[in-house]
Amino acid sequence: MTNYTVDTLELGPFETESGETISNLKLRYEHVGFKGQPLVLVCHALTGNHVTYGTDEDHGWWREIIDGGYMPINDYQFLTFNVIGSPFGSSSALIDDDFPSKLTLRDVVRALEVGIKALGFSHIDILIGGSLGGMQAMELLYNRQFDVKKAVILAATDKTSSYSRAFNEIARQSIQLAGKEGMSIARQLGFLTYRSSKSYDKRFSPDQVVAYQRHQGNKFKENFNLNCYLTLLDVLDSHDIDRDRTDVTEVFKSLDTKVLTMGFTDDLLYPDDLVRAVGERFKYHRHFFVPDNVGHDGFLLNFNDWAPNLYHFLKVSKFKRK
């Protein structure tokens, strides 16, 4: 296996947008490959983690993309951070007594930037993320702390919609009313927004779907920290690339970054037309509509339906300016 590292950076005091301070910022990360290869920075989704590639015994959540040849392990090095607020090793309410009571997506991204610099990187060849990961990618591009050659934004829009926030609020209320059992309900509700009704009908009978939902809820309540989940719901709700800014389109148009956006059929949370609209704010942009019926979670599944377009985008060197 190629060079593989999972470790935790300790980076000192970190102040959030709200003015609260993490006394010693911790960032758990996975790095695969060798320095000198083009760098791929992968940003994970809401309940994801830093284990993008994983080990031969325990594969990461995007191992199939890499080993499938769409982003070959011999062509790139891969870096993924566990976002702060998450329960998988970075600073969070699970491990930090002084963890902020309020966290935003911009806090998450500024922490990532500190970690990237601490590891000695100043250039990102490929920036990629789906859902909350795509939102992180937008903020990283706006902040312009790194030269980014290409960016891939999957199933993410320029702000969290009122529709999505409504589901998040129901999840909060469930947890506040019923603790860990509320976590189970929140996860079951979430799954209904991550998948399409067509995919459920295709996969389950009415009796099977009840057992499946309960299984997902019970697994989540045991494996994910309650307070961390509440933190990350706040992070998700805070996403609005234009919040208190008037220059976002101007900044995006000024970048030489080549951007690919992808939207997925039956994505209730982040519809294809709004995903495309994000890309249209950039100077160089291509969009691909994924015509499967899984829904929002398409970026984690059915790779053969969309990853060939990713592969082609990464190989193209000439783009026509809009």
Side-chain angles (χ1 to χ4, degrees):
M1 181 176 172
T2 190
N3 187 46
Y4 183 78
T5 301
V6 173
D7 204 351
T8 302
L9 298 173
E10 296 193 20
L11 300 163
F14 178 83
E15 185 174 340
T16 67
E17 273 198 283
S18 65
E20 297 175 273
T21 300
I22 299 171
S23 59
N24 184 18
L25 175 66
K26 300 179 185 68
L27 287 177
R28 190 76 170 164
Y29 72 93
E30 177 195 67
H31 178 263
V32 188
F34 296 94
K35 290 192 175 183
Q37 295 173 309
L39 175 66
V40 180
L41 180 71
V42 183
C43 300
H44 71 72
L46 184 70
T47 57
N49 58 40
H50 54 288
V51 186
T52 301
Y53 190 72
T55 64
D56 291 339
E57 296 75 28
D58 189 11
H59 287 191
W61 52 271
W62 255 2
R63 177 77 171 245
E64 191 174 339
I65 288 284
I66 300 168
D67 280 358
Y70 300 115
M71 302 178 78
I73 192 68
N74 292 324
D75 292 349
Y76 303 100
Q77 57 176 316
F78 297 84
L79 176 63
T80 308
F81 288 95
N82 180 223
V83 302
I84 57 172
S86 170
F88 299 116
S90 292
S91 291
S92 72
L94 181 63
I95 62 173
D96 293 83
D97 292 335
D98 63 345
F99 196 75
S101 59
K102 190 76 172 179
L103 198 70
T104 70
L105 184 73
R106 295 181 187 178
D107 295 324
V108 164
V109 170
R110 284 195 304 106
L112 294 184
E113 291 169 346
V114 173
I116 296 166
K117 292 175 182 177
L119 290 175
F121 296 107
S122 60
H123 173 88
I124 299 170
D125 292 275
I126 302 165
L127 170 62
I128 184 170
S131 194
L132 185 72
M135 300 171 191
Q136 295 170 60
M138 292 177 215
E139 285 288 338
L140 280 159
L141 289 169
Y142 177 82
N143 288 348
R144 292 159 289 171
Q145 296 295 301
F146 307 94
D147 177 34
V148 180
K149 185 176 180 180
K150 291 184 177 180
V152 183
I153 297 169
L154 308 168
T157 54
D158 57 13
K159 66 179 178 180
T160 300
S161 68
S162 297
Y163 186 77
S164 177
R165 293 189 66 160
F167 281 102
N168 294 342
E169 181 56 26
I170 296 170
R172 272 192 205 89
Q173 291 183 32
S174 297
I175 293 169
Q176 290 162 356
L177 286 170
K180 286 187 70 173
E181 293 307 315
M183 279 271 285
S184 174
I185 295 169
R187 185 60 167 177
Q188 292 181 55
L189 178 69
F191 253 81
L192 293 178
T193 68
Y194 303 152
R195 307 290 174 86
S196 70
S197 62
K198 294 175 185 176
S199 70
Y200 264 59
D201 283 339
K202 183 177 180 180
R203 183 175 177 184
F204 304 112
S205 71
D207 291 334
Q208 288 172 331
V209 77
V210 172
Y212 175 77
Q213 286 289 107
R214 287 178 176 169
H215 167 73
Q216 291 296 340
N218 289 333
K219 183 172 68 172
F220 187 68
K221 76 179 183 183
E222 297 303 328
N223 295 333
F224 210 92
N225 179 266
L226 182 153
N227 290 320
C228 290
Y229 191 56
L230 290 172
T231 295
L232 292 176
L233 289 176
D234 286 343
V235 168
L236 182 58
D237 281 356
S238 75
H239 170 57
D240 181 351
I241 193 70
D242 293 290
R243 174 171 59 87
D244 299 327
R245 296 167 175 162
T246 59
D247 63 344
V248 174
T249 298
E250 178 184 348
V251 168
F252 284 171
K253 291 290 186 187
S254 73
L255 300 176
D256 289 327
T257 305
K258 282 69 176 177
V259 177
L260 173 67
T261 52
M262 287 195 200
F264 293 77
T265 300
D266 297 327
D267 188 339
L268 298 175
L269 299 175
Y270 307 105
D272 176 72
D273 59 330
L274 298 183
V275 177
R276 178 193 289 269
V278 170
E280 290 174 347
R281 302 178 77 169
F282 292 88
K283 187 194 309 184
Y284 301 105
H285 170 235
R286 292 186 177 184
H287 180 78
F288 179 67
F289 173 62
V290 184
D292 68 14
N293 69 353
V294 174
H296 179 64
D297 265 1
F299 73 95
L300 294 170
L301 303 164
N302 297 350
F303 298 120
N304 290 337
D305 289 336
W306 60 266
N309 293 276
L310 168 66
Y311 178 83
H312 177 71
F313 172 76
L314 298 181
K315 294 299 180 184
V316 170
S317 59
K318 293 183 180 180
F319 281 75
K320 184 178 179 180
R321 180 173 178 170
K322 289 189 286 188

